[in-house]
Amino acid sequence: MKLPPLRALPVFEAVARLNSFSRAADELSVSQSAVSHQIKALEDYLGETLFRRNGRYLELTEEGRSYQDSVTSALLQIERASEHLLGASTSRLRLAVFSSFCVRWLIPRLPSLQRAHSQIDLALEMTGESPVLSDRVADCFITIRTASPAFTYDLLYRERLFPICSRAYWRRICDALDLPPDTDPKGAAPLTPEQVARFPLLSTFSIYDRESGDWDAWFRVADERLPAGARIQHFSHMLMALEAARYDQGIALTNDYMLSDEADDNLVRLPCHTLMTGDRFYFAHKTSRRNEPAIRLVRRWLIEQAIASGLRSRHATDES
């Protein structure tokens, strides 16, 4: 077995992660010259330059970035295997997840995970977009992208959008449409797109490429066009549109995980059609790590929670 200088690998991982020789030296409690020596020994062995300096800044070369993925994954597997043999009582796991999914759906359910699996120390890495699938980012992910063949994906949710407003605003809608003021939206006759367009529409324009894209798409599902005179207020995130709806500012489009009956008793779902966005949320992890106990437990817990909360059907088959 021909291996590189093994002492250099944790040094390389630290420099690559921290993007600094001096910070890596501090973390490893060695001198900066010792770090430089280990990196040079590794580069000499590989015959490749792993880092380059750009002025005062340090950056990985293309070869360095590729090597970082492999080294980080290998070191993590060694760490997990050692913890298992040592009988470590706590399993650390990093989960990268969309900020809105994390805040609105995952965090309220974490006490259940802690009660069921107190040995798991789950660290959450929140992202604004679908996270990069790499061990250097996290151990497992909630993502809408399934392009990497090295990962296993379990379906959690097929996204759909539907109109919501506050209870006070629903009474305002009832008054404007000559409905009885005590009409329950769950039992009311469906509102037409034309009726909905009479009220301010709260749009999350970051969901689609075009401005008002979420409402444009919602009207198209009903073979209608968004009226030219519709009053639209734009927000860059669904959380903001949801808060505007909560404070009686109009009608917003939201999805299932953003709306919790327990946490959002003041928000009601309007009797209208839904829009399937085509986005599917998956729990993802490297297939090579599928037998790690912490990943298996979190995977099973997430699927159970998705089923219990109605995000996923118990018999969902869209898994890869």
Side-chain angles (χ1 to χ4, degrees):
M1 182 179 293
K2 189 174 182 181
L3 297 173
L6 297 182
R7 292 178 60 186
L9 296 182
V11 176
F12 167 75
E13 187 280 329
V15 175
R17 172 168 42 83
L18 299 171
N19 208 38
S20 167
F21 275 60
S22 59
R23 288 199 293 269
D26 290 340
E27 180 178 288
L28 299 170
S29 300
V30 297
S31 67
Q32 188 170 335
S33 62
V35 169
S36 299
H37 174 76
Q38 292 293 344
I39 296 300
K40 184 178 185 304
L42 188 58
E43 289 181 329
D44 288 346
Y45 175 85
L46 297 171
E48 298 285 355
T49 300
L50 301 174
F51 298 94
R52 70 166 64 92
R53 290 198 175 273
N54 185 6
R56 296 175 57 190
Y57 300 99
L58 184 72
E59 62 182 9
L60 285 160
T61 63
E62 184 177 346
E63 293 79 11
R65 283 193 296 272
S66 176
Y67 199 53
Q68 181 191 19
D69 282 338
S70 300
V71 168
T72 300
S73 178
L75 290 175
L76 282 169
Q77 289 189 53
I78 292 171
E79 180 183 38
R80 299 291 188 271
S82 300
E83 287 178 347
H84 179 69
L85 289 179
L86 289 169
S89 59
T90 299
S91 295
R92 289 169 291 165
L93 201 66
R94 298 166 300 151
L95 173 64
V97 55
F98 295 103
S99 57
S100 56
F101 190 93
C102 185
V103 171
R104 300 293 301 178
W105 188 85
L106 180 58
I107 287 178
R109 289 168 171 78
L110 286 182
S112 166
L113 176 65
Q114 292 162 358
R115 287 192 299 270
H117 306 293
S118 59
Q119 76 276 24
I120 295 178
D121 178 12
L122 187 66
L124 301 178
E125 303 283 344
M126 293 201 302
T127 64
E129 299 178 351
S130 202
V132 176
L133 301 185
S134 168
D135 281 332
R136 69 173 183 270
V137 175
D139 303 300
C140 47
F141 309 82
I142 292 176
T143 180
I144 61 174
R145 296 175 183 160
T146 60
S148 175
F151 281 74
T152 295
Y153 306 92
D154 292 284
L155 179 68
L156 296 178
Y157 173 56
R158 294 183 179 91
E159 186 180 49
R160 60 179 183 171
L161 300 181
F162 44 84
I164 57 115
C165 68
S166 68
R167 291 192 179 276
Y169 205 85
W170 169 247
R171 290 191 290 271
R172 197 178 306 178
I173 291 173
C174 289
D175 183 61
L177 300 179
D178 294 324
L179 299 174
D182 59 348
T183 299
D184 184 346
K186 293 182 179 179
L191 300 184
T192 67
E194 181 182 11
Q195 289 174 317
V196 172
R198 292 173 55 181
F199 303 93
L201 305 179
L202 310 175
S203 172
T204 306
F205 59 79
S206 64
I207 295 178
Y208 293 91
D209 293 335
R210 297 182 294 115
E211 289 190 354
S212 311
D214 53 350
W215 280 107
D216 276 331
W218 186 83
F219 275 84
R220 283 199 304 271
V221 168
D223 294 324
E224 300 276 354
R225 296 188 66 179
L226 179 65
R231 292 166 291 169
I232 300 172
Q233 183 170 355
H234 301 294
F235 298 89
S236 63
H237 199 287
M238 195 183 291
L239 277 170
M240 299 167 68
L242 195 71
E243 287 304 297
R246 189 193 309 279
Y247 288 99
D248 313 327
Q249 295 175 30
I251 302 173
L253 285 172
T254 194
N255 61 28
D256 294 275
Y257 70 74
M258 292 289 287
L259 193 65
S260 166
D261 290 337
E262 295 79 8
D264 291 305
D265 188 58
N266 186 45
L267 293 171
V268 298
R269 179 173 170 177
L270 274 61
C272 298
H273 68 269
T274 62
L275 163 66
M276 302 302 296
T277 68
D279 282 342
R280 298 177 180 184
F281 289 67
Y282 297 88
F283 174 70
H285 61 86
K286 268 193 175 176
T287 303
S288 61
R289 301 182 61 182
R290 64 187 178 277
N291 291 324
E292 292 184 17
I295 288 179
R296 293 176 64 181
L297 288 174
V298 169
R299 171 189 175 274
R300 185 174 62 192
W301 177 82
L302 278 170
I303 291 174
E304 289 173 349
Q305 291 296 312
I307 292 171
S309 65
L311 288 189
R312 168 184 151 141
S313 165
R314 185 172 298 276
H315 304 292
T317 58
D318 188 5
E319 300 169 10
S320 54

